[in-house]
Amino acid sequence: MLKYVLKRLALLVLSLFIIMTMLFVLIRLLPNPVEAVAGGFDKALREMREAWGYNKPIIVQYGIFLRKVFTRWDWGFCTSMGTFLQPVSGYIAEKLPATIYVNVISVLFSLPLGITFGIVAAVNKNRWPDHIIQVFIMLFISVPSFIYAFLLQYYVGYRLNWCPLIFRDGRDFFSWPMFHSAIMPVLALSFGPIASTMRLIRAELTEQLTADYMLLARTKGLSRAQATVRHALRNSFVPLMPSFLADFIGILGGSMVIEQIFAVPGIGKTYVQSIAVKDYSVFMAISMFYVSIGLSAGIASDLSYGLIDPRIRMGGSKTNEL
């Protein structure tokens, strides 16, 4: 197991290095938009570009970039109008709390609901609760999150006036006004993960309820509820952690659009804006953030199998057949 983990970590570092190299080379080959933004290079901008080696060969620029990133966590400077020459790391650190706030609440809201309704559908298979839940599953999975965002914003925010139309700007994340303004973005991001979790739990638990060991548990004196909770649920949770991590990555990806719709001052909105204004340093840093989250989730997904079911060991040698 340790050998497998070390191997996966080495592959993660290699993948990050390859992706970072590709992004760096492609970005440096693009036309420089700073002249159009700044109207010419002033002294501060010229000195900063010289410090980053913009007047040197690209391999030297990449060496300077790696040294600054890994020794000082310095990803460069912003070139957009509102944040001209501000350090990228500090700029992203200001935007990150809003994204974490919305995404964490979405995960905490969607996972329990998805598990609960998935269990209800599996226990009541082919009955009216199961049919109703399957209709919602198809509806939530088929429709993109930004469609729900527009519908919520129009009906819940504008027509009914139950929630603010846009996200509240500020740092008081544990206050009711902030949470109230986050309800609609959270709902728009949660519908898809709720549906995927319901579908997974329903399919897995339905299969486990018809397994032979459930019949054995019932013959030993356990009630249907006891056998379901003690045995079937645990086995059906084996694929849940990988699915949960995939849903979390999906929420992060979807939040790019949702943050634009509800004016959430997070890194998703900043990521989209960095493309529009050609702020390449911000684009590079946020791209590597998303890549790191995705690759780390892949490793955590594989290791979660062994944590949930001790019989599963990743990277183990094959047993000899007798």
Side-chain angles (χ1 to χ4, degrees):
M1 191 68 175
L2 178 61
K3 182 179 178 181
Y4 174 78
V5 173
L6 294 177
K7 180 180 178 181
R8 289 299 304 271
L9 290 176
L11 290 175
L12 182 146
V13 173
L14 179 61
S15 300
L16 284 175
F17 178 76
I18 294 174
I19 295 173
M20 183 184 295
T21 303
M22 294 174 60
L23 282 174
F24 182 86
V25 173
L26 292 175
I27 288 175
R28 291 301 169 95
L29 292 177
L30 293 174
N32 189 3
V34 179
E35 291 183 354
V37 174
F41 296 126
D42 57 10
K43 182 179 180 181
L45 179 60
R46 189 181 302 109
E47 291 178 352
M48 189 166 292
R49 286 177 58 83
E50 290 178 357
W52 279 86
Y54 278 74
N55 55 345
K56 298 179 181 179
I58 191 168
I59 187 66
V60 179
Q61 296 181 33
Y62 190 48
I64 295 174
F65 171 79
L66 291 178
R67 176 171 55 83
K68 288 181 176 292
V69 168
F70 291 108
T71 59
R72 305 177 187 175
W73 200 246
D74 185 358
W75 289 86
F77 52 92
C78 302
T79 57
S80 58
M81 291 294 292
T83 58
F84 196 61
L85 297 184
Q86 180 180 355
V88 171
S89 55
Y91 180 65
I92 294 179
E94 296 175 358
K95 305 295 183 179
L96 192 58
T99 296
I100 294 176
Y101 183 77
V102 173
N103 284 271
V104 169
I105 294 178
S106 300
V107 171
L108 296 178
F109 176 74
S110 61
L111 190 62
L113 283 181
I115 293 174
T116 301
F117 286 111
I119 294 173
V120 172
V123 174
N124 297 278
K125 183 182 179 181
N126 295 329
R127 300 176 185 174
W128 66 267
D130 182 31
H131 297 318
I132 294 176
I133 290 174
Q134 288 196 64
V135 170
F136 280 103
I137 289 175
M138 294 301 298
L139 180 64
F140 289 163
I141 289 180
S142 302
V143 180
S145 59
F146 64 87
I147 299 297
Y148 293 120
F150 288 129
L151 293 175
L152 288 169
Q153 199 171 50
Y154 178 72
Y155 288 103
V156 179
Y158 176 69
R159 296 294 295 272
L160 299 176
N161 197 24
W162 287 352
C163 296
L165 291 174
I166 61 175
F167 188 81
R168 178 185 175 90
D169 193 8
R171 295 290 176 175
D172 49 340
F173 293 109
F174 296 99
S175 64
W176 166 248
M178 181 66 74
F179 179 79
H180 190 208
S181 67
I183 290 177
M184 289 198 296
V186 167
L187 288 177
L189 289 171
S190 299
F191 286 143
I194 288 174
S196 62
T197 303
M198 285 193 298
R199 183 176 60 176
L200 175 66
I201 292 297
R202 180 191 178 277
E204 291 294 328
L205 187 55
T206 300
E207 181 180 353
Q208 298 300 328
L209 290 174
T210 58
D212 294 336
Y213 72 86
M214 287 294 292
L215 180 60
L216 177 61
R218 295 294 302 275
T219 57
K220 288 184 176 182
L222 293 179
S223 64
R224 188 169 186 267
Q226 290 175 331
T228 300
V229 173
R230 296 182 185 181
H231 301 287
L233 271 181
R234 180 171 183 179
N235 289 331
S236 63
F237 280 172
V238 171
L240 179 63
M241 182 60 70
S243 174
F244 162 71
L245 293 173
D247 288 340
F248 178 69
I249 299 300
I251 289 175
L252 274 178
S255 66
M256 297 181 193
V257 180
I258 300 301
E259 288 181 10
Q260 286 285 110
I261 296 174
F262 292 102
V264 179
I267 60 172
K269 179 182 178 182
T270 304
Y271 192 48
V272 176
Q273 290 178 343
S274 68
I275 300 174
V277 300
K278 300 179 181 179
D279 199 333
Y280 298 143
S281 296
V282 175
F283 173 79
M284 177 77 172
I286 300 180
S287 296
M288 293 310 302
F289 169 78
Y290 282 116
V291 169
S292 302
I293 294 294
L295 294 176
S296 301
I299 295 180
S301 174
D302 292 340
L303 298 180
S304 65
Y305 286 106
L307 295 176
I308 298 174
D309 190 347
R311 296 171 297 177
I312 300 176
R313 284 294 177 266
M314 306 301 296
S317 59
K318 297 182 178 180
T319 56
N320 296 325
E321 296 183 359
L322 296 178

